Amino acid sequence: MDTPQPPRLLDQVRHAIRLKHYSLKTEKSYLHYIRDYILFHNKRHPKEMGAEEIRTYLTHLAVQQNVAASTQNVALSALLFLYRHVLNIELPYIDGIERAKTPERVPVVFTRSEVKAILSYLDGIHHLVASLLYGSGLRLNEGLQLRVKDIDFEYQQLVVRDGKGEKDRVTMLPKALVAPLKQQLEKTKQLHQQDLTLGYGAVYLPYALERKYPNANRDWGWQYVLPSWRRSLDPRTKVVRRHHLYERSLQRAVKQAIRQAGMTKHGGCHTFRHSFATHLLEDGYDIRTVQELLGHKDVKTTMIYTHVLNRGERGVRSPLDG
């Protein structure tokens, strides 16, 4: 009887990532850099390599590939994950890496009139999502992954589940979006009923909830508020179901709206979140409140918006202005 072959290394990595409930985007990034690391070293097995080879690879990314600092950090995280959680090898501290330079930039922010101009060139579902990003300070994925049960119309708030750092938080639901959201929910409910009639209607559930509550994935409360217009094959489970709206669709629509508004700022979907924070500070809300609404772990992250304002403790007025 033939001895079964052990799983391939990348399959082991994929399994370990899913056990830890990392996102599909993180899974793709980690697999890419682990594969690239192996190819860079002429297909040597990672067990035969260590800190020195990692240092050489990361330096190559910074010097020859000219990657951004954030990209280099993702590559390092992927390799540390490989050694610690797949190969069970604890590496020594890796020093002497040629670091990609981290640019010091203040975020791009739309003025209130610019936000109105951009929104005027968006319609339908794109207008609703962009309004949520600006009106509630959501990241793009947080808006797209919003579930029916996480909207509280009575208290006018949204519950953001598994935000950055796997943290939940509560943020505001603008009064102006109550009616549009209720209309959207009516459309979503009709679509969900059609899916159920056709034998579909099950939505992705995080972690082990699908095993714990086998029928919950068809419940109305778990459905995405902003579902995709078509069903698709889940790349992990190979199950055909309806996912949330595709992020590229909104990104393209916002870029087009920015061009139509005649703006030269290099903005995008995330700029609405920057604008949300800046405009709250302009209105006099304290920085701790804004920090909680944004879900920042450290208030220093939120402080960058005071530099955009040129206000607060270090705000100055030009001598030309008297």
Side-chain angles (χ1 to χ4, degrees):
M1 185 175 179
D2 294 336
T3 305
Q5 293 294 319
R8 296 169 55 201
L9 179 62
L10 291 181
D11 289 334
Q12 294 177 48
V13 174
R14 191 177 285 109
H15 180 68
I17 288 173
R18 293 179 184 181
L19 277 178
K20 291 191 172 291
H21 310 297
Y22 287 6
S23 70
L24 184 60
K25 187 178 292 187
T26 299
E27 178 181 317
K28 289 179 178 179
S29 295
Y30 278 22
L31 289 171
H32 168 78
Y33 287 110
I34 290 169
R35 187 183 294 110
D36 192 54
Y37 168 69
I38 294 170
L39 293 174
F40 177 76
H41 287 294
N42 299 313
K43 298 185 179 180
R44 290 170 61 193
H45 196 284
K47 278 187 177 179
E48 302 171 6
M49 301 184 283
E52 181 59 37
E53 286 79 10
I54 291 176
R55 182 186 303 112
T56 304
Y57 173 66
L58 294 175
T59 300
H60 159 75
L61 290 180
V63 178
Q64 274 76 43
Q65 297 295 317
N66 196 31
V67 301
S70 57
T71 302
Q72 191 186 41
N73 287 333
V74 171
L76 175 57
S77 296
L79 297 178
L80 291 177
F81 182 91
L82 167 67
Y83 280 93
R84 289 174 182 168
H85 301 292
V86 180
L87 302 177
N88 296 314
I89 298 173
E90 193 62 40
L91 295 168
Y93 177 75
I94 305 172
D95 56 4
I97 299 172
E98 183 73 29
R99 291 286 184 182
K101 187 177 180 182
T102 304
E104 295 184 7
R105 298 192 180 102
V106 293
V108 176
V109 172
F110 297 136
T111 65
R112 295 168 199 260
S113 59
E114 287 172 339
V115 170
K116 289 180 180 178
I118 295 167
L119 291 178
S120 71
Y121 287 102
L122 294 169
D123 52 26
I125 196 84
H126 294 145
H127 185 280
L128 177 58
V129 182
S131 298
L132 270 173
L133 302 187
Y134 174 61
S136 302
L138 303 181
R139 299 177 178 91
L140 177 55
N141 281 335
E142 292 172 347
L144 297 180
Q145 293 171 10
L146 193 65
R147 310 263 184 167
V148 172
K149 66 183 181 61
D150 295 325
I151 302 178
D152 190 330
F153 288 110
E154 187 172 347
Y155 283 99
Q156 290 191 355
Q157 62 185 25
L158 304 175
V159 181
V160 180
R161 307 285 183 183
D162 288 328
K164 193 172 182 180
E166 297 188 339
K167 295 182 296 183
D168 292 356
R169 74 178 191 278
V170 176
T171 188
M172 66 185 71
L173 169 59
K175 290 181 181 179
L177 293 184
V178 170
L181 271 175
K182 286 183 176 180
Q183 292 173 6
Q184 174 61 30
L185 288 177
E186 286 297 323
K187 295 176 184 177
T188 302
K189 196 163 192 175
Q190 291 176 14
L191 194 61
H192 179 51
Q193 290 297 334
Q194 291 174 16
D195 284 344
L196 289 173
T197 303
L198 295 172
Y200 297 100
V203 72
Y204 165 78
L205 293 186
Y207 309 137
L209 287 175
E210 198 155 6
R211 290 194 300 273
K212 190 174 181 180
Y213 306 109
N215 297 318
N217 57 8
R218 285 180 167 79
D219 286 352
W220 167 236
W222 279 102
Q223 302 306 306
Y224 291 117
V225 176
L226 305 160
S228 171
W229 62 274
R230 63 182 178 87
R231 294 183 293 270
S232 59
L233 185 71
D234 188 310
R236 287 183 167 177
T237 63
K238 307 304 178 186
V239 174
V240 175
R241 53 188 166 201
R242 194 178 299 278
H243 204 49
H244 57 67
L245 192 68
Y246 191 39
E247 61 183 33
R248 289 276 179 86
S249 169
L250 185 70
Q251 289 168 340
R252 286 194 293 263
V254 169
K255 287 290 185 184
Q256 176 65 18
I258 290 172
R259 286 194 293 269
Q260 287 177 303
M263 291 173 51
T264 56
K265 287 182 179 177
H266 185 65
C269 292
H270 203 66
T271 313
F272 287 118
R273 177 173 157 89
H274 295 322
S275 306
F276 165 85
T278 305
H279 297 166
L280 285 182
L281 291 171
E282 283 179 347
D283 289 339
Y285 290 96
D286 68 275
I287 199 160
R288 291 289 182 182
T289 299
V290 178
Q291 177 193 358
E292 289 181 10
L293 291 171
L294 291 172
H296 287 159
K297 183 178 180 180
D298 194 330
V299 73
K300 289 180 181 177
T301 309
T302 319
M303 285 291 291
I304 192 168
Y305 298 110
T306 63
H307 302 317
V308 177
L309 287 169
N310 195 27
R311 285 177 47 169
E313 297 175 10
R314 298 197 296 170
V316 295
R317 186 171 62 181
S318 169
L320 184 64
D321 295 327

